[in-house]
Amino acid sequence: MDPDIHRGEMAPAEVYRRFARIEAHGSSEVYEDWAGNIAEDPGVLELVAGLPRPKRQPNLVFAAARLHGADGDYASFRSTVVERWDAIRETILARSTQTNEAARCAVLLPFLAELPQPLALIEVGAAAGLCLLPDRYSYRYSDGTRLDPAEGTSEVVIDCHLGPGVIPPPAVPEVVWRAGIDLSPVDVKRSEDCAWLETLIWPGHEGRRERLRSALTIARREPPRVIAADLNEALPALAAEAPADATLVVFHTAVLAYLDQAARDGFVDLVNGLPGHWISNEGPQVIPRLHPLPESVPTGGFVIAVDGSPRAAAHPHGRSVTGLPGR
């Protein structure tokens, strides 16, 4: 995940050109087509350029357009955008990208399992808090490891390829306390909020959509606490609430790219000063001082770091995790 793409820090044409080439290619033919064509379309670029910089990101613009009927090839997408731009723009300004991918828990689990149990989890950028529920999902790793919650197989069963250099977790972690922070928390009991999460899932990712629905069903039974706040402002007080007899873990995945550099640096300094541990799962460019770009991380891949030390390369949607050489 390139922060320049998602914070609108380049000209819109370059943002969409890079999104098509780096993030959508090989993942969504529809989004690759839309982004590549927008990059060469002065009319649509003018509309996008009229948005505040952080709102120009392709994920957000595409989801808002789809919410208002955009579908199919670029010609169809373009006609919807042009005809319904006022409504699409209103959605863009009111919403944000809050992709809640429960499968990311599978790539975090080996590192959560290394820590002294039980755990107290804080997720920054939690959205609906679905990644705060790693103990409520089932896991099937490629080495044959099968893990289930204590009550049996979950409605959410996550398959994950386990590459060299990552030790399979021996058990689902024991979580005794959990909380999240988000600027605009997603209410798992509001149909409108849940529909927005579905719209954020890229075309062609039907398995992810089904998993989201199942994870939301689990979350509705006992919704995780997610407070509405700026992560840098709220984290110290929330961390102080965690039970002293549990290992505090602050974690995040695909979040810091949406912060400006000063906020990212402030967060790194803040989290390093807290007790417990810090697990990050972000694009290699997001925290350059911690995440030098290893050659083994594929384009568009994430780096998992524990307490600031890069440990593994991970698929952005949790499909695989592989240890970094020498880690």
Side-chain angles (χ1 to χ4, degrees), residues 67-80:
L67 192 67
H68 291 280
D71 198 5
D73 61 16
Y74 182 70
S76 173
F77 165 81
R78 189 185 194 282
S79 65
T80 302

Side-chain angles (χ1 to χ4, degrees), residues 41-54:
D41 187 331
V44 176
L45 284 174
E46 183 178 0
L47 296 175
V48 172
L51 295 166
R53 285 184 179 273

Side-chain angles (χ1 to χ4, degrees), residues 17-104:
R17 192 173 293 117
R18 289 181 65 170
F19 179 84
R21 184 179 71 249
I22 296 173
E23 298 196 10
H25 179 70
S27 184
S28 173
E29 292 183 4
V30 171
Y31 276 8
E32 183 179 7
D33 175 50
W34 288 2
N37 277 286
I38 284 178
E40 311 301 328
D41 187 331
V44 176
L45 284 174
E46 183 178 0
L47 296 175
V48 172
L51 295 166
R53 285 184 179 273
K55 296 290 187 176
R56 297 174 185 174
Q57 55 184 281
N59 284 340
L60 179 56
V61 171
F62 290 167
R66 291 175 62 215
L67 192 67
H68 291 280
D71 198 5
D73 61 16
Y74 182 70
S76 173
F77 165 81
R78 189 185 194 282
S79 65
T80 302
V81 168
V82 171
E83 293 170 9
R84 306 203 63 189
W85 179 247
D86 287 347
I88 292 170
R89 186 177 188 277
E90 184 176 346
T91 297
I92 291 170
L93 296 178
R95 292 285 185 176
S96 58
T97 51
Q98 296 175 294
T99 306
N100 242 193
E101 179 48 76
R104 288 170 175 156

Side-chain angles (χ1 to χ4, degrees), residues 16 33 105 247-248 270 279 315:
Y16 282 80
D33 175 50
C105 290
T247 300
L248 176 65
L270 172 61
I279 299 179
H315 185 277

Side-chain angles (χ1 to χ4, degrees), residues 7-197:
R7 285 198 50 79
E9 294 176 351
M10 299 178 292
E14 184 59 19
V15 166
Y16 282 80
R17 192 173 293 117
R18 289 181 65 170
F19 179 84
R21 184 179 71 249
I22 296 173
E23 298 196 10
H25 179 70
S27 184
S28 173
E29 292 183 4
V30 171
Y31 276 8
E32 183 179 7
D33 175 50
W34 288 2
N37 277 286
I38 284 178
E40 311 301 328
D41 187 331
V44 176
L45 284 174
E46 183 178 0
L47 296 175
V48 172
L51 295 166
R53 285 184 179 273
K55 296 290 187 176
R56 297 174 185 174
Q57 55 184 281
N59 284 340
L60 179 56
V61 171
F62 290 167
R66 291 175 62 215
L67 192 67
H68 291 280
D71 198 5
D73 61 16
Y74 182 70
S76 173
F77 165 81
R78 189 185 194 282
S79 65
T80 302
V81 168
V82 171
E83 293 170 9
R84 306 203 63 189
W85 179 247
D86 287 347
I88 292 170
R89 186 177 188 277
E90 184 176 346
T91 297
I92 291 170
L93 296 178
R95 292 285 185 176
S96 58
T97 51
Q98 296 175 294
T99 306
N100 242 193
E101 179 48 76
R104 288 170 175 156
C105 290
V107 302
L108 298 175
L109 216 66
F111 306 99
L112 292 172
E114 293 178 348
L115 303 176
Q117 307 289 307
L119 305 179
L121 301 181
I122 295 179
E123 182 183 12
V124 296
L130 301 186
C131 288
L132 279 166
L133 309 174
D135 53 332
R136 298 183 189 172
Y137 306 140
S138 292
Y139 303 88
R140 304 291 183 257
Y141 290 100
S142 59
D143 72 331
T145 298
R146 298 170 61 90
L147 302 175
D148 296 302
E151 58 271 20
T153 304
S154 171
E155 296 105 310
V156 173
V157 179
I158 303 169
D159 295 305
C160 181
H161 176 77
L162 205 62
V166 178
I167 299 173
V172 172
E174 181 186 358
V175 181
V176 294
W177 184 91
R178 70 192 92 214
I181 306 169
D182 198 280
L183 284 174
S184 301
V186 174
D187 186 344
V188 297
K189 294 188 176 182
R190 286 189 77 227
S191 58
E192 183 178 329
D193 283 3
C194 294
W196 175 244
L197 288 184

